Every structure is written in C-alpha cells, then in structure tokens.
Amino acid sequence: GAVVSQHPSWVICKSGTSVKIECRSLDFQATTMFWYRQFPKQSLMLMATSNEGSKATYEQGVEKDKFLINHASLTLSTLTVTSAHPEDSSFYICSAAGQGLEAFFGQGTRLTVV
Amino acid sequence: DAKTTQPTSMDCAEGRAANLPCNHSTISGNEYVYWYRQIHSQGPQYIIHGLKNNETNEMASLIITEDRKSSTLILPHATLRDTAVYYCIVNLPGTASKLTFGTGTRLQVTL
C-alpha cells in the first residue's frame, strides 16, 4: 500500500505552547487529507478534512482556531495545536487519499501537554 | 453513511483462521465495504475493500453476502502479530470520502 509519514511520532510540550504535526504522502499525490484524534480506549474521531489549496472543513465541535490545518501541497498537510492544554493530550492521526479507492494512514503522533 | 455492527471482541488460536463478522444492513448500492485494523499505538492499516464480489489479497479475504447486508473478513492463518482492533466501515470511494470509525472488534490471537 501507499506510504503516509507522520512526524513527530511523539511530542511533549508545555501548556500554552503550540505544536505542529506534519503528514506527508510519500509515494502518491493526496488531494484530500483527514485528521483524526483518538483518546485512550476510544475509537478514532474525525476532526477535519483538508483539500489541497483550500480551507479545511472541520467537524462539529472542533475549534478551527485552535486546530489549524494547512494543506499547501499535494503531499503535505500540517496540523497545529495552538495554545495547547492538558486536555488536548491525545493520539493524532492523519490519513491521505489520492485517486485510488482507499485511504492510507500515518503512524500517529502522541501529544502530551504538561 | 451506513452504520456497521461488529462484535466487541473475539479470540483466535494462532495458526487458525480468524473470521470477523460485520453487519451493514443499511448499506447503499454504491457504498464499498472497507476493513482496517489498528495495532496498539499505531495508525490504522488498510486491509481490503470490496463492493459486491468476494475479494482476496495477501493479507486477507473478504466475503460479502449476496444481499450485501453483511460481510466477513477472514485471516486464513492468524499469528500473534494479527492481534489488533479490526474496523469494518462502509463508505463511498474516492477522495471525497471520509471514514467514520465505530468501535471495531478487538481480536486477540493466542498461543
């Protein structure tokens, strides 16, 4: 399958700071990327959908000013958690979809806010 | 999107076939059945997908009933590394689709 790389795989940051997570499709062009969040022992919850060159579409209840998404190219999308708080600690996962029928996921980023 | 129903958990002995069922009785005619799995602390891994015909790849087989209201994912020879949460998702294909994850089936492969 296609390869989606997510970086960093884990990060610890202080409360009030911002953290950027990168999601790259390594061997295909991703016209659409998705960002998910997963709390312990829960399923993945979609946060937002981003299309290259346009603004992201956020799911209900997700603050767009707190979770900034940029999809500047067909191989890169970034998620920035601004003014992070301990309750933002979670496992963040991206997926990318190209012209095929399936989406491929990154390995996830574990964010811990202290 | 159609919803799916899966058992919460299943056990399987190593070397045996693991058969994971999924009900999707409200699936529409152009929705595909997708299977992903998530090993602990990793991103989901794509396994297989199908529309109405049975499908097989190097990882698994997908059996879809004729009325498309249910399907079964088959891991022919389960190993300990197949221990994971398996998600059955029905969805439209293509770049406009977004996957909605349910609770999945936690498969535990044992010696």
Side-chain angles (χ1 to χ4, degrees):
Chain A
V3 179
V4 176
S5 177
Q6 199 171 328
H7 178 81
S9 56
W10 61 270
V11 58
I12 300 172
C13 73
K14 291 184 177 180
S15 189
T17 62
S18 296
V19 174
K20 180 184 285 187
I21 302 170
E22 293 188 348
C23 180
R24 294 179 183 273
S25 56
L26 298 186
D27 51 3
F28 69 103
Q29 293 185 329
T31 51
T32 307
M33 288 186 171
F34 305 90
W35 287 95
Y36 294 82
R37 180 168 54 181
Q38 185 176 34
F39 292 107
K41 298 188 178 181
Q42 295 186 21
S43 189
L44 284 78
M45 292 189 62
L46 180 67
M47 298 175 66
T49 302
S50 73
N51 293 294
E52 184 266 337
S54 62
K55 291 183 179 180
T57 302
Y58 291 80
E59 296 298 303
Q60 191 172 10
V62 178
E63 300 175 57
K64 62 180 181 181
D65 294 330
K66 180 169 183 62
F67 300 99
L68 302 179
I69 293 173
N70 183 279
H71 192 166
S73 76
L74 287 173
T75 60
L76 174 64
S77 176
T78 60
L79 167 68
T80 302
V81 183
T82 63
S83 187
H85 291 285
E87 56 265 33
D88 297 325
S89 298
S90 188
F91 192 51
Y92 292 86
I93 309 166
C94 71
S95 73
Q99 296 301 317
L101 297 179
E102 60 270 29
F104 296 94
F105 287 79
Q107 65 268 47
T109 297
R110 185 160 304 281
L111 170 64
T112 302
V113 184
V114 297
Chain B
D1 293 342
K3 293 182 179 179
T4 63
T5 304
Q6 298 177 253
T8 303
S9 63
M10 294 181 64
D11 291 332
C12 178
E14 189 176 34
R16 294 295 190 102
N19 298 285
L20 291 90
C22 179
N23 287 321
H24 32 79
S25 58
T26 59
I27 190 171
S28 62
N30 55 351
E31 286 184 311
Y32 282 70
V33 180
Y34 291 83
W35 282 84
Y36 284 80
R37 72 181 183 183
Q38 187 179 24
I39 296 170
H40 182 62
S41 295
Q42 297 182 24
Q45 177 188 22
Y46 165 79
I47 300 174
I48 199 167
H49 73 276
L51 183 61
K52 54 183 179 180
N53 296 323
N54 297 337
E55 302 288 344
T56 295
N57 62 21
E58 65 278 4
M59 289 183 69
S61 294
L62 174 60
I63 309 298
I64 303 174
T65 58
E66 193 169 343
D67 63 7
R68 301 208 326 124
K69 292 185 177 181
S70 65
S71 61
T72 301
L73 179 74
I74 301 173
L75 307 179
H77 305 288
T79 71
L80 296 177
R81 288 178 296 180
D82 292 322
T83 293
V85 178
Y86 287 76
Y87 296 98
C88 168
I89 303 168
V90 293
N91 208 35
L92 294 169
T95 58
S97 67
K98 57 186 180 182
L99 302 176
T100 301
F101 286 79
T103 53
T105 296
R106 182 172 297 278
L107 175 68
Q108 180 69 51
V109 181
T110 57
L111 291 173

